[in-house]
Amino acid sequence: MSSLVMYRNGAVYSPADPFATAMLVDGDTVAWVGQEAAASGLLDDSMEVVDLEGALVAPAFFDSHVHLTETGAALASMDLTGAGSVAEVLDAVSGRAAESTGAVTGAGWDQSAWPDGRVPSADELEAAGGGRDVYLTRIDVHSGLVNASLARRLELDGVDGWDGVGTVVREAHARVREAVLDFSDAARREHQLRALRHLASTGHAGVAEMAAPHIGTRRDVEVLTGLLDDEGQDHPAVHIYWAETASTADEARRLADGFGQGRLSGLGGDLNIDGSLGSRTAYLREPYADDAGNRGTLFLDEEGVAAHVAACSEAGIQAAFHVIGDAGVDTAVAGFRLAADRVGLSTVQAGRHRLEHVEIVDQPAVDAFLEFGITVSLQPAFDAYWGGPAGQYEQRLGPERSARMNEVGRFLAAGVPVCLGSDTPVTAASPWAAVRACLEHNTPAARVSARAAFLAHTRAGHRAVGAANPLAGQLAPGSEATFAVWAASELAIQTPDARVSSWSTDARAGTPMLPVLEAELPTCLRTVRAGRVIFERA
């Protein structure tokens, strides 16, 4: 195959030419971007020609928050995202138990829209599973359901997070995961490969893996680094974060080099300050609307945050934290302020630290993010899944608080760096759905244009992990040839305000166009990383 590939007769999303229809790739580099007439003049017999047949070539997506082993396992286990009641869950468990051996696992259930909001009990799961181990992960992966015999075998009585009925959170949930998800190395590797292939098929050529002891153990990372060595570049690039705290710079360096020098992109990611709203463990200033007296759980206090930020800042390592509730964000901000007092504000700012999720914030928090140079990693699908009237967020928080969540527009308007992801398997790795969620956010003031969301889901992801190449996530002469090809019915410039969309075809705008994101989202035809095809639709 020639190292020169001409893609032509389509549309190319490029800042070099907003009306480009062709692109020449030389090995791993974009050599030229332009229009059809010029492409004909460049063609020679040394080139492979790809007729796009009207398809769109655009920078590949970067998912800024994934869990590879869990995603692969979820793809291979029961998908409970469509279950609408206790009865449907129990039927699914019975069916899986009848046709397979070993533990019955499933993922994705969400009782917030079920008729009575009740979840299956341990005894009901025992009967449905025929005595086999049953573990069903809630969609947010912060809680789960187990059957009675598994609860007895793991001696959950008296363990923090076991409700005695069937639901596990916190310590009890971690104990169940450690027992049931004790994968062999071969199984871990297969799950990771399955997840990477799936991500490539959805137009991703880069991901940030958020590994943590309470999610998948160190062995997950060790197997993953071996897989990355063996597979070369035939999969999306993986930037690994490991969620373990450090108290000194030397300890931070030791942890960062524990998987091999240069292997980790940062210490943190799902380093939990608090939990999740779905499982009522996100840490709130005021109690949950549907659980009076409960303000959630604080897993890491401000002193713990400060020590980790200071240690990582001095060591030149990026720190990252999982935080969702407003009181959890208060804790994060207080911790960063303490760290700045200890090692200096400029040292903290130079760390390019990041916060994951940050669903409930106020203006003082946004101002603090700017002060400390923090990047926020958001998941727009959270609002699409759980926002709006009568949604899970309104159930948990009431209408006033739930209307001030996942505000992508607030961060971007303030100048806070934003990168986007899915938190797969929590939500589907569907990047165009994430862009659409930004356009159609349930809170109008939080909406942003399709272009702003697209850049946050491509270029910004590379910047958030510290990509050295300033052209990463773009298609222009000299940039890495990392892109996806999409079948899309119509292209336009889309803004949250329909009154200004009429200029979308005006040549003076000089803005490349993106797919119109209606009910049917674009289909990925090909994904290319550094000139290598990592996915091709049959």
Side-chain angles (χ1 to χ4, degrees):
M1 180 180 293
S2 171
S3 65
L4 290 170
V5 183
M6 175 69 82
Y7 291 83
R8 64 181 304 185
N9 189 28
V12 180
Y13 187 95
S14 171
D17 183 348
F19 306 105
T21 62
M23 180 175 74
L24 179 64
V25 173
D26 185 353
D28 62 359
T29 303
V30 175
W32 172 85
V33 173
Q35 299 180 39
E36 201 61 32
S40 298
L42 287 172
L43 278 176
D44 62 40
D45 293 341
S46 69
M47 297 178 186
E48 176 190 353
V49 178
V50 176
D51 186 347
L52 295 169
E53 298 181 347
L56 170 69
V57 176
F61 284 99
F62 189 108
D63 194 312
S64 290
H65 194 116
V66 306
H67 302 285
L68 292 174
T69 302
E70 290 68 32
T71 296
L75 289 169
S77 68
M78 288 189 300
D79 179 5
L80 299 176
T81 55
S85 66
V86 169
E88 290 183 22
V89 171
L90 295 175
D91 286 346
V93 171
S94 296
R96 179 56 65 96
E99 65 187 22
S100 63
T101 60
V104 177
T105 61
W109 60 270
D110 179 5
Q111 83 280 27
S112 59
W114 294 358
D116 57 3
R118 186 178 77 84
V119 299
S121 70
D123 289 337
E124 289 174 317
L125 292 173
E126 185 75 22
R132 292 186 189 168
D133 288 349
V134 178
Y135 168 54
L136 310 178
T137 315
R138 195 182 186 281
I139 193 167
D140 58 16
V141 200
H142 282 263
S143 61
L145 301 171
V146 298
N147 62 318
S149 59
L150 178 59
R152 287 194 297 271
R153 180 164 62 81
L154 298 182
E155 300 179 344
L156 295 184
D157 282 344
V159 175
D160 175 54
W162 167 241
D163 71 350
V165 178
T167 300
V168 287
V169 296
R170 298 188 297 276
E171 183 182 342
H173 190 215
R175 183 178 294 194
V176 171
R177 289 182 65 82
E178 183 177 359
V180 177
L181 303 183
D182 185 18
F183 300 125
S184 67
D185 285 357
R188 290 180 195 275
R189 182 185 176 97
E190 184 56 37
H191 290 323
Q192 292 164 357
L193 271 174
R194 185 183 299 111
L196 287 169
R197 290 170 184 148
H198 175 69
L199 285 156
S201 76
T202 52
H204 294 89
V207 301
E209 160 68 7
M210 298 301 176
H214 61 278
I215 296 176
T217 77
R218 289 182 63 89
R219 193 60 189 151
D220 250 16
V221 178
E222 293 164 352
V223 171
L224 178 58
T225 56
L227 183 157
L228 298 180
D229 287 342
D230 295 343
E231 294 292 318
Q233 293 189 326
D234 294 330
H235 52 72
V238 181
H239 301 262
I240 304 172
Y241 289 75
W242 174 248
E244 190 170 350
T245 57
S247 56
T248 68
D250 285 343
E251 185 180 8
R253 294 187 191 98
R254 178 181 59 78
L255 289 173
D257 291 341
F259 299 100
Q261 192 168 15
R263 286 291 195 181
L264 295 188
S265 292
L267 286 175
D270 267 335
L271 184 55
N272 286 10
I273 292 176
D274 66 352
S276 75
L277 288 164
S279 296
R280 299 186 185 86
T281 51
Y283 191 46
L284 306 178
R285 294 172 182 169
E286 302 295 333
Y288 283 84
D290 59 354
D291 190 4
N294 177 23
R295 292 178 51 218
T297 303
L298 185 67
F299 294 111
L300 189 64
D301 63 17
E302 63 184 64
E303 176 54 42
V305 172
H308 188 65
V309 171
C312 290
S313 298
E314 288 192 305
I317 297 167
Q318 188 182 42
F321 300 90
H322 162 120
V323 61
I324 286 179
D326 47 9
V329 172
D330 292 342
T331 302
V333 169
F336 270 86
R337 199 165 300 284
L338 279 175
D341 290 342
R342 293 173 187 175
V343 302
L345 178 60
S346 61
T347 303
V348 170
Q349 291 171 334
R352 305 177 300 98
H353 306 305
R354 54 192 281 170
L355 295 176
E356 309 295 317
H357 315 313
V358 283
E359 292 196 69
I360 311 175
V361 299
D362 56 15
Q363 193 56 45
V366 173
D367 294 340
F369 297 166
L370 283 169
E371 178 184 1
F372 299 123
I374 294 170
T375 295
V376 296
S377 168
L378 306 178
Q379 292 71 47
F382 286 4
D383 179 73
Y385 277 44
W386 301 303
Q392 176 184 277
Y393 289 150
E394 187 170 296
Q395 295 173 30
R396 294 287 187 269
L397 304 174
E400 184 178 348
R401 283 188 291 176
S402 65
R404 305 194 313 269
M405 296 183 59
N406 300 295
E407 295 181 289
V408 181
R410 165 182 271 188
F411 292 119
L412 288 174
V416 174
V418 172
C419 58
L420 302 182
S422 64
D423 199 10
T424 177
V426 175
T427 71
S430 178
W432 290 116
V435 173
R436 182 173 63 189
C438 291
L439 269 170
E440 301 176 355
H441 196 287
N442 282 289
T443 302
R447 295 172 183 168
V448 298
S449 68
R451 178 176 182 269
F454 180 76
L455 293 177
H457 215 336
T458 52
R459 185 177 66 187
H462 295 276
R463 293 183 176 181
V465 297
N469 186 347
L471 292 177
Q474 301 181 68
L475 293 178
S479 68
E480 183 179 87
T482 295
F483 56 91
V485 180
W486 300 92
S489 58
E490 182 182 356
L491 303 180
I493 293 173
Q494 299 152 85
T495 73
D497 189 342
R499 295 172 299 174
V500 298
S501 63
S502 60
W503 62 278
S504 63
T505 57
D506 187 339
R508 292 170 298 177
T511 302
M513 294 186 288
L514 291 169
V516 173
L517 302 175
E518 297 177 337
E520 186 173 344
L521 294 172
T523 300
C524 184
L525 304 177
R526 173 183 283 196
T527 306
V528 178
R529 175 190 170 192
R532 297 174 67 91
V533 177
I534 62 173
F535 168 75
E536 186 90 65
R537 188 164 297 280

